[in-house]
Amino acid sequence: EKAGLRVDDVAHFVFATPTAWYVNFCARSLGIDARRCVDTYPQFANIGPVCWLANLHEHARVHG
């Protein structure tokens, strides 16, 4: 709100993905389509604190 943005203004979301269900949980909580979220869990499973970096890297690789 303080930034003047709405959830619809954000193209993609990056979360840590420690479990297979976490992206869907976050998407449902925000009321967004899970396809707008980056999720590397299917490729790497839980890679601990590197989840954030892997998801950010994947987003940059795919959406450049």
Side-chain angles (χ1 to χ4, degrees):
E1 280 182 34
K2 289 182 181 180
L5 296 173
R6 299 171 305 141
V7 172
D8 292 337
D9 295 328
V10 179
H12 299 101
F13 293 84
V14 176
F15 307 105
T17 49
T19 62
W21 54 264
Y22 196 71
V23 163
N24 289 326
F25 169 78
C26 292
R28 277 194 316 271
S29 295
L30 292 172
I32 60 172
D33 188 335
R35 290 176 291 189
R36 292 173 58 194
C37 303
V38 180
D39 183 8
T40 58
Y41 189 87
Q43 294 96 320
F44 306 122
N46 184 353
I47 51 178
V50 180
C51 288
W52 289 101
L53 296 173
N55 285 341
L56 286 169
H57 181 269
E58 180 65 7
H59 181 271
R61 187 185 70 76
V62 172
H63 299 284

